[in-house]
């Protein structure tokens, strides 16, 4: 099987999101071929390069969603193409602004709920894609004066969103710039018979721009689309306020328009996808709210390498019994401020307790400022302490990074903690909790995202932004080593059952086979005169191996693709010889 793997800011880049699970998936399905189509988000990401690719990755095509679009608008001076662009973009803008259903665009409106708006959005999107294919691209057109005027008209039309009606020219320019970056895949040459049009299945590893090439491959070539979301991109877009890292937050009208655009794109992706695989029930609820059909949803948990944590998980000693451990990316959503205040309460009950904060900075200056604030708060709450007048003082709170002497690798970090704590106020799928569970550690977590689904009764859960409740749960486990051991053993058993690489690969392998068997791509081969060639893709072409003789099927690859290099077989199978089909098979193939 030939898979088109679609990524955004991820695999195969070294610093990409979801890089690890994509790499494990590709390596675990060595019998399939993968063509990777990657969208990068920054020059730094491209400069870091790619991970080492396994041999089953046949090709990698990449494109940038950052920087300015190169080239002048190809529609410049072409009146008919210009009118066609205006018509299509007007439909897209009308679907975004809600200009046809007479609603006021309240905050309770579900993205994609209006069939009429969804149809107009889809019509405009695919119209722009067809125009880009016919003219060679839309470079510059999506940020042109005509595009801004179309957005303005949609915002001023009767029934537009209340927030959209307040949009001014700077807001519309911000929206047009975001649309131009997100819709750059429309202008790529990825949809002919030599690229995505030749694969058996497109697998988008995220929603948004990553799934857009899959939508176009389905539109142009009928290729089935599988969408996997471990963190719903639309949810992340809402939480981030639609602003890119390092950029100022857009105004309220611009945020409303961009939220509507990404909501419509998500709804169109879910409508056209053959199967949707959320990574947890939390993501599944978001997808359903955005219009996903429940019949298409299959929950597939992410898989971690259990062997990496096997040594720590199988140890009899429970780690440092008076040490609380936090592991993750340092950013405001992790609410380390509440954790530090909770630890102050813990120290009142357990004066010998320590807190280790092990992690790396998230991207952006905001994360660095947040870490500095956390360090300052820790120094204020916990002055350096010494056992006596002759001892050197030490702070009970330490900030460490993986690779430091205290934590050479991730498993060593978990080995040094007695209780693992998660204090987030916003969380998707808590990977750090699964790592702690694989290490056999008892956990205390806040009730956010998919935490309860992951823990499943093997740890303590408290409300978010409640330092006192967090402290009480930590004290309970610090004082009860037997309970820590029981919870840790149960957590490890649960993680080994649900969250391993093997179960993840097996699930996707089954979904791949199911999609291809139920939704095969129908391709028509024509001769030099443009006439269809009968039996150009016979059923026998789907049988792997080199067994046909005297015709094209000798050494044929699955689904009638070019045969691999190597000598053709010289013998036919026994059933072909027995029934006199040896020569006929060659005649049909040729």
């Amino acid at each position: 099987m030939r898979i088109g793997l679609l990524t955004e800011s991820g695999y195969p880049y070294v610093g990409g999101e979801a890089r690890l699970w994509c790499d494990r998936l590709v390596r675990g399905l060595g019998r399939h071929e993968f063509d990777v189509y990657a969208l990068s988000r920054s020059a730094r990401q491209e400069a870091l390069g790619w991970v080492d690719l396994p041999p089953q990755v046949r090709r990698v095509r990449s494109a940038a969603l950052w920087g300015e679009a190169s080239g002048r608008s190809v529609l410049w001076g072409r009146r008919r193409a210009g009118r066609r662009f205006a018509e299509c973009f007007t439909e897209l803008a009308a679907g975004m602004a809600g200009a046809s259903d007479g609603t006021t665009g309240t905050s309770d409106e579900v993205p994609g709920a209006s069939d009429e708006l969804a149809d107009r959005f889809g019509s405009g999107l695919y119209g722009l894609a067809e125009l880009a294919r016919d003219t060679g691209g839309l470079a510059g057109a999506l940020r042109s004066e005509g595009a801004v005027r179309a957005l303005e008209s949609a915002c001023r039309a009767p029934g537009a969103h209340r927030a959209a009606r307040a949009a001014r020219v700077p807001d519309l320019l911000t929206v047009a710039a975001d649309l131009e970056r997100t819709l750059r895949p429309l202008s790529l040459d990825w949809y002919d018979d030599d690229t995505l049009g030749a694969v058996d299945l497109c697998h988008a590893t995220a929603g948004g721009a990553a799934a857009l090439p899959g939508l176009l491959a389905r539109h142009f070539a009928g290729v089935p689309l599988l969408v996997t979301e471990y963190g719903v991109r639309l949810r992340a877009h809402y939480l981030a306020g639609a602003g890119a890292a390092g950029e100022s937050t857009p105004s309220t009208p611009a945020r409303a328009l961009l939220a509507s655009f990404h909501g419509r794109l998500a709804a169109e992706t879910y409508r056209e996808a053959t199967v949707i695989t959320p990574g947890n029930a939390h993501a599944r609820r978001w997808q359903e709210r955005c219009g996903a059909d429940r019949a298409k949803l299959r929950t597939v948990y992410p898989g971690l390498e259990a062997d990496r944590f096997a040594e720590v998980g199988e140890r009899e000693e429970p780690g440092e019994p008076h040490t609380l451990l936090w592991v993750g990316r340092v950013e405001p959503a992790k609410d380390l401020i509440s954790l530090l205040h909770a630890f102050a309460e813990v120290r009142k009950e357990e004066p010998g307790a320590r807190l280790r904060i092990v992690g790396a900075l998230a991207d952006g200056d905001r994360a660095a400022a947040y870490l500095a604030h956390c360090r300052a708060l820790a120094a204020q709450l916990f002055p350096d302490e010494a056992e006596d007048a002759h001892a050197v003082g030490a702070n009970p709170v330490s900030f460490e990074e993986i690779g430091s002497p205290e934590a050479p690798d991730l498993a060593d970090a978990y080995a040094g903690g007695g209780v693992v704590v998660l204090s987030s106020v916003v969380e998707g799928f808590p990977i750090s909790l699964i790592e702690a569970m694989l290490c056999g550690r008892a956990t205390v977590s806040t009730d956010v995202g998919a935490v309860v689904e992951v823990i499943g009764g093997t740890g303590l859960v408290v409300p978010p932004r409640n330092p006192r409740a967090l402290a009480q749960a930590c004290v309970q486990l610090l004082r009860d080593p037997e309970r820590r051991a029981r919870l840790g053993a149960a957590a490890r058993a649960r993680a080994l059952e649900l969250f391993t690489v093997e179960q993840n690969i097996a699930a996707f392998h089954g979904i791949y086979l199911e999609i291809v068997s139920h939704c095969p791509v129908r391709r028509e081969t024509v001769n030099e005169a443009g006439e269809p060639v009968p039996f150009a893709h016979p059923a026998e072409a789907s049988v792997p191996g080199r067994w046909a003789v005297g015709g094209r099927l000798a050494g044929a690859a699955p689904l009638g693709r070019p045969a691999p290099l190597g000598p053709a077989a010289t013998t036919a199978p026994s059933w072909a010889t027995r029934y006199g089909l040896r020569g006929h098979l060659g005649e049909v193939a040729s």
Side-chain angles (χ1 to χ4, degrees):
M1 191 186 306
R2 187 173 173 186
I3 311 298
L5 192 65
L6 314 177
T7 69
E8 178 194 0
S9 186
Y11 188 78
Y13 294 105
V14 170
E17 302 173 5
R19 169 183 58 84
L20 289 177
W21 83 262
C22 288
D23 188 58
R24 293 164 183 162
L25 176 68
V26 171
R27 294 181 184 277
L29 296 177
R31 294 165 56 184
H32 301 309
E33 297 176 344
F34 287 85
D35 294 351
V36 179
Y37 293 83
L39 301 172
S40 67
R41 276 290 180 180
S42 67
R44 179 177 179 273
Q45 185 177 60
E46 292 196 355
L48 291 175
W50 298 345
V51 299
D52 293 333
L53 300 176
Q56 53 264 40
V57 176
R58 299 176 66 255
R59 68 166 68 171
V60 177
R61 298 285 297 272
S62 62
L65 296 183
W66 52 274
E68 297 295 329
S70 59
R72 191 181 188 184
S73 174
V74 296
L75 307 182
W76 186 267
R78 301 173 65 172
R79 184 173 302 177
R80 180 178 298 178
R83 287 198 302 267
R84 187 176 166 192
F85 171 80
E87 293 172 358
C88 295
F89 194 83
T90 297
E91 288 293 288
L92 183 81
M96 289 171 49
S100 64
D101 62 354
T103 63
T104 58
T106 62
S107 59
D108 293 332
E109 184 180 354
V110 178
S114 168
D115 291 338
E116 182 182 356
L117 291 180
D119 290 341
R120 296 192 71 178
F121 181 88
S123 175
L125 180 68
Y126 297 124
L128 290 174
E130 292 169 0
L131 177 62
R133 184 179 64 170
D134 295 341
T135 60
L138 301 176
L142 293 169
R143 298 182 69 172
S144 64
E145 181 180 352
V148 176
R149 286 180 177 176
L151 283 172
E152 184 177 22
S153 298
C155 292
R156 305 292 183 264
H161 290 281
R162 183 184 301 111
R165 290 200 298 268
R168 298 294 179 259
V169 171
D171 306 322
L172 299 177
L173 291 174
T174 299
V175 173
D178 188 280
L179 293 187
E180 187 276 325
R181 285 191 295 268
T182 304
L183 295 179
R184 284 186 190 180
L186 299 181
S187 300
L188 299 176
D189 58 344
W190 288 0
Y191 314 110
D192 55 28
D193 293 339
D194 295 327
T195 50
L196 285 176
V199 303
D200 301 309
L201 165 69
C202 284
H203 184 177
T205 59
L212 191 50
L215 280 177
L216 301 186
R218 180 167 180 79
H219 177 72
F220 289 128
V223 178
L225 173 62
L226 166 64
V227 178
T228 295
E229 288 187 303
Y230 286 130
V232 179
R233 186 59 56 92
L234 180 61
R235 171 180 175 272
H237 176 86
Y238 285 146
L239 293 174
E247 297 182 1
S248 59
T249 303
S251 64
T252 298
R255 289 201 305 271
L257 285 170
L258 290 174
S260 179
F261 166 74
H262 288 283
R264 300 295 179 202
L265 181 58
E268 182 64 22
T269 300
Y270 298 151
R271 183 172 71 170
E272 293 297 324
T274 305
V275 174
I276 306 166
T277 54
N280 52 76
H282 181 66
R284 185 185 184 114
R285 287 192 295 270
W286 266 87
Q287 291 170 338
E288 290 181 1
R289 186 175 186 274
C290 294
D293 183 358
R294 291 186 177 183
K296 296 182 179 181
L297 297 175
R298 316 280 181 82
T299 300
V300 178
Y301 292 121
L304 275 68
E305 293 180 348
D307 293 343
R308 184 181 182 186
F309 306 100
E311 182 182 356
V312 175
E314 294 173 359
R315 291 179 185 174
E316 294 185 1
E317 59 272 18
E320 299 180 16
H322 299 290
T323 298
L324 301 178
L325 176 69
W326 181 94
V327 178
R329 290 166 60 89
V330 178
E331 56 185 337
K334 304 303 182 182
D335 199 14
L336 295 181
I337 301 300
S338 291
L339 176 60
L340 291 171
H341 284 291
F343 186 62
E345 298 293 325
V346 171
R347 292 275 292 179
K348 296 177 182 178
E349 301 291 334
E350 294 290 329
R354 293 183 59 236
L355 172 63
R356 296 178 60 192
I357 296 176
V358 181
L361 277 177
D363 296 333
D365 297 335
R366 188 182 180 191
Y370 183 74
L371 176 60
H373 178 56
C374 292
R375 289 180 180 273
L377 179 61
Q380 179 182 353
L381 292 175
F382 312 101
D384 290 349
E385 303 172 354
E387 295 181 359
D388 52 55
H390 304 285
V392 177
N395 196 299
V397 178
S398 63
F399 292 83
E400 308 165 16
E401 293 184 4
I402 299 298
S404 64
E406 297 83 3
D409 59 35
L410 200 55
D412 290 325
Y414 286 109
V419 176
V420 176
V421 185
L422 184 142
S423 55
S424 302
V425 294
V426 175
E427 192 72 56
F429 194 82
I431 296 296
S432 62
L433 279 188
I434 299 177
E435 294 169 345
M437 294 166 69
L438 287 170
C439 291
R441 294 296 179 260
T443 60
V444 176
S445 313
T446 49
D447 187 5
V448 293
V451 165
V452 173
E453 181 181 3
V454 169
I455 293 298
T458 65
L460 304 186
V461 180
V462 300
R465 294 192 179 94
N466 192 331
R468 180 170 297 179
L470 187 64
Q472 290 175 352
C474 291
V475 169
Q476 288 180 21
L477 292 184
L478 289 175
R479 290 178 171 176
D480 194 341
E482 293 184 358
R483 188 182 186 189
R484 287 203 310 270
R486 289 196 304 271
L487 290 176
R492 176 167 169 77
R494 178 177 176 81
L496 289 174
E497 179 182 1
L498 298 177
F499 307 122
T500 63
V501 174
E502 291 75 16
Q503 66 84 21
N504 181 269
I505 292 174
F508 278 118
H509 180 62
I511 291 173
Y512 284 177
L513 295 179
E514 179 184 352
I515 291 176
V516 172
S517 64
H518 287 84
C519 307
V521 182
R522 305 296 183 185
R523 297 186 175 92
E524 185 178 83
T525 301
V526 297
N527 57 21
E528 297 178 356
E531 299 173 347
V533 178
F535 302 109
H537 298 283
E540 292 85 355
S542 300
V543 180
R546 306 185 182 100
W547 54 268
V549 180
R552 187 183 305 171
L553 291 183
L559 295 180
R561 296 219 160 69
L565 297 178
T570 57
T571 59
S574 59
W575 57 265
T577 305
R578 184 180 309 119
Y579 296 105
L581 298 178
R582 177 181 180 125
H584 295 291
L585 288 174
E587 293 171 5
V588 170
S590 59

